């Protein structure tokens, strides 16, 4: 019966996975490959302290280690971290890359990483300088992963689609268009 409905024989899981992967635009798949490869290298070499590559506001400010803005985005702390970040990124990145093209998407990711880092620095700096209760530890907190960029992409995609809200599993983001 299945064969008569679909025309040819049943399609295997590997074929479906291959078709899904082939449908992902170039830059989006490149981000998935880079993040996944970096995580695997870290896993195989036993590298699990991210103090040298994470976004650390105190190091960016005092030692001008601006490379941390970009290295922190491609490193992930666990297999679930990288898998869920990439599963969230693929549909958003694919849709936006089809609209904007690969080069504009690359530029946007660089811009989002930079702006997210600047906002992170500003918030940490302001929290440290609260007169009543200083939060000095925020300058020494490491941040890694693609989550900031994913949430920025959600805002951009929701704005472009004209939707009033976007549902993310258990969270509803309401936005004015």
């Amino acid at each position: 019966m299945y064969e008569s409905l679909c025309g040819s024989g049943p399609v295997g899981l590997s074929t479906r996975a291959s078709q899904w992967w082939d449908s992902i635009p170039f830059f989006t798949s490149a981000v998935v490959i880079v993040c996944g490869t970096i995580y695997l290298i870290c896993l195989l070499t036993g590298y699990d302290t991210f103090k040298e590559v994470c976004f650390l506001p105190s190091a960016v400010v005092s030692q001008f280690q601006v490379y941390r803005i970009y290295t922190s985005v491609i490193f992930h702390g666990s297999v679930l971290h990288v898998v869920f970040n990439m599963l969230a990124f693929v549909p958003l990145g694919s849709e936006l890359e089809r609209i904007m093209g690969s080069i504009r998407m690359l530029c946007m990711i660089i811009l989002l990483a930079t702006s997210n880092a600047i906002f992170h620095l500003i918030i940490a700096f302001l929290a440290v300088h609260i007169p009543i209760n200083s939060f000095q530890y925020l300058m020494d907190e490491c941040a890694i992963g693609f989550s900031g960029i994913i949430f920025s992409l959600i805002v951009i995609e929701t704005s472009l689609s004209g939707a009033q809200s976007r549902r993310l599993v258990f969270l509803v983001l309401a936005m004015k268009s």
Side-chain angles (χ1 to χ4, degrees), residues 23-25 28-29 89-99 105:
S23 71
I24 300 172
T28 303
S29 59
F89 174 66
V90 166
L92 286 166
S94 296
E95 182 178 343
L96 290 171
E97 187 173 353
R98 285 185 187 104
I99 293 169
M105 184 71 170

Side-chain angles (χ1 to χ4, degrees), residues 5-69:
L5 291 174
C6 296
S8 63
V11 178
L13 184 61
S14 63
T15 302
R16 289 180 191 262
S18 176
Q19 290 171 343
W20 174 76
W21 182 254
D22 290 342
S23 71
I24 300 172
F26 172 75
F27 180 74
T28 303
S29 59
V31 168
V32 172
I33 290 169
V34 167
C35 290
T37 302
I38 287 175
Y39 179 75
L40 283 175
I41 291 169
C42 290
L43 188 66
L44 294 173
T45 60
Y47 183 78
D48 62 355
T49 66
F50 298 101
K51 203 77 167 164
E52 298 86 15
V53 295
C54 68
F55 184 77
L56 187 63
S58 61
V60 173
V61 172
S62 65
Q63 299 164 1
F64 202 64
Q65 295 179 351
V66 293
Y67 67 89
R68 291 175 177 273
I69 293 170

Side-chain angles (χ1 to χ4, degrees), residues 59-154:
V60 173
V61 172
S62 65
Q63 299 164 1
F64 202 64
Q65 295 179 351
V66 293
Y67 67 89
R68 291 175 177 273
I69 293 170
Y70 308 105
T71 57
S72 65
V73 170
I74 57 176
F75 280 82
H76 292 80
S78 71
V79 70
L80 288 177
H81 189 196
V82 72
V83 166
F84 284 124
N85 270 197
M86 294 303 105
L87 284 174
F89 174 66
V90 166
L92 286 166
S94 296
E95 182 178 343
L96 290 171
E97 187 173 353
R98 285 185 187 104
I99 293 169
M100 299 183 332
S102 298
I103 301 299
R104 285 188 181 136
M105 184 71 170
L106 169 66
C107 294
M108 186 172 66
I109 296 292
I110 292 169
L111 180 65
L112 290 174
T114 306
S115 62
N116 288 347
I118 290 168
F119 286 135
H120 188 147
L121 275 174
I122 291 169
I123 290 168
F125 183 78
L126 290 174
V128 165
H129 291 89
I130 293 174
I132 298 168
N133 187 11
S134 177
F135 295 96
Q136 181 61 40
Y137 69 91
L138 290 177
M139 290 298 282
D140 298 318
E141 290 286 324
C142 265
I144 58 172
F146 213 70
S147 301
I149 290 176
I150 291 168
F151 279 102
S152 299
L153 291 174
I154 289 169

